[in-house]
Amino acid sequence: MVEIREMIYPRYSKEIEEELNSEGIIRAHSFGKTRLGKLSVLGKGKTGVVVLTEDGNALKIRRSDSPKESLELEARMQIMAGNAAPKVLKYGKNFILMEYVSGRHLEKREAISVLIDLINRAYFLEQAGLEHKELVTPWRNVLVSGERTYIIDYDSVSLKERAFNVNKILNAFNLRDLARAYKRGEMTLEEIVKRI
């Protein structure tokens, strides 16, 4: 267990520590496959570092050098994503506290049941008007727990009148004909699932 201040990256920020402390977030586990100096974390990206809190939740902490001034919009997008994403518990300018998903990253060879679950969750995002730009290469942005998938990292999500996510998943799994037919409106989601 380490003080949360040790997880503020790449430079310490008093503002970030004070916000986390005011929410009762004081310590986190050095846990995960990603290295942060001498510490281990769940993940690290251009806007934040994800750590496991002492009470077993996942916490995205805004990087002190992040190009984004706040994580609030990202948190709202993740809330809109409903059960396609890990549940957001609370958020602020410098953090998103969410449920921790004990699982693994999506692999290029997956069981059909996992692929179908992911396609359904990508479709749910489309229905909510959310387009996730990182689903072009979903390996880093999808977690798998059993046969259940979770789409993560809503940093690059945008609201669109016609959002497309399903075709990105299909393309990633080399189902290009199905992806094209879906995007053109020539096949429904149900028809896609039957063909898989």
Side-chain angles (χ1 to χ4, degrees), residues 4 7-9 16-17 19-20 23 25 27-28 36 41-68 70-78 86-101 132 134 140-141 151-157:
I4 202 68
M7 300 292 194
I8 298 170
Y9 179 82
I16 294 172
E17 183 184 18
E19 184 179 12
L20 294 170
E23 295 291 338
I25 303 167
R27 285 177 289 283
L36 192 69
V41 296
L42 298 173
K44 178 176 71 170
K46 63 184 178 294
T47 59
V49 173
V50 182
V51 303
L52 184 66
T53 64
E54 64 182 320
D55 56 357
N57 292 311
L59 173 71
K60 182 169 188 173
I61 305 169
R62 188 176 72 82
R63 288 175 57 141
S64 56
D65 65 348
S66 171
K68 305 254 172 142
S70 173
L71 294 179
E72 292 166 310
L73 178 60
E74 179 180 342
R76 289 195 291 275
M77 295 289 189
Q78 188 169 333
K87 182 180 179 187
V88 173
L89 305 172
K90 64 170 97 165
Y91 66 91
K93 178 183 176 190
N94 294 301
F95 77 97
I96 303 171
L97 185 67
M98 63 195 103
E99 72 174 313
Y100 168 65
V101 175
H132 197 305
E134 301 297 325
R140 289 188 60 197
N141 296 292
I151 299 171
I152 61 171
D153 198 357
Y154 287 77
D155 174 42
S156 66
V157 170

Side-chain angles (χ1 to χ4, degrees), residues 153-171:
D153 198 357
Y154 287 77
D155 174 42
S156 66
V157 170
S158 55
L159 287 169
K160 296 262 178 109
E161 196 170 315
R162 286 200 67 210
F164 287 103
N165 299 299
V166 171
N167 65 307
K168 292 174 186 163
I169 300 296
L170 293 169
N171 275 323

Side-chain angles (χ1 to χ4, degrees), residues 88-174:
V88 173
L89 305 172
K90 64 170 97 165
Y91 66 91
K93 178 183 176 190
N94 294 301
F95 77 97
I96 303 171
L97 185 67
M98 63 195 103
E99 72 174 313
Y100 168 65
V101 175
S102 178
R104 59 176 174 80
H105 282 281
L106 185 73
E107 296 173 357
K108 293 185 179 175
R109 291 187 179 193
E110 283 291 350
I112 297 297
S113 56
V114 170
L115 179 56
I116 289 171
D117 184 79
L118 178 55
I119 287 170
N120 282 310
R121 294 190 196 281
Y123 181 75
F124 181 87
L125 292 184
E126 291 178 358
Q127 298 304 108
L130 298 173
E131 186 162 295
H132 197 305
K133 293 179 177 69
E134 301 297 325
L135 290 181
V136 173
T137 52
W139 326 118
R140 289 188 60 197
N141 296 292
V142 176
L143 295 176
V144 181
S145 181
E147 293 184 352
R148 162 79 157 95
T149 60
Y150 295 83
I151 299 171
I152 61 171
D153 198 357
Y154 287 77
D155 174 42
S156 66
V157 170
S158 55
L159 287 169
K160 296 262 178 109
E161 196 170 315
R162 286 200 67 210
F164 287 103
N165 299 299
V166 171
N167 65 307
K168 292 174 186 163
I169 300 296
L170 293 169
N171 275 323
F173 281 92
N174 293 316

Side-chain angles (χ1 to χ4, degrees), residues 33-45:
K33 293 182 179 174
T34 304
R35 299 297 297 171
L36 192 69
K38 295 178 183 174
L39 304 173
S40 297
V41 296
L42 298 173
K44 178 176 71 170

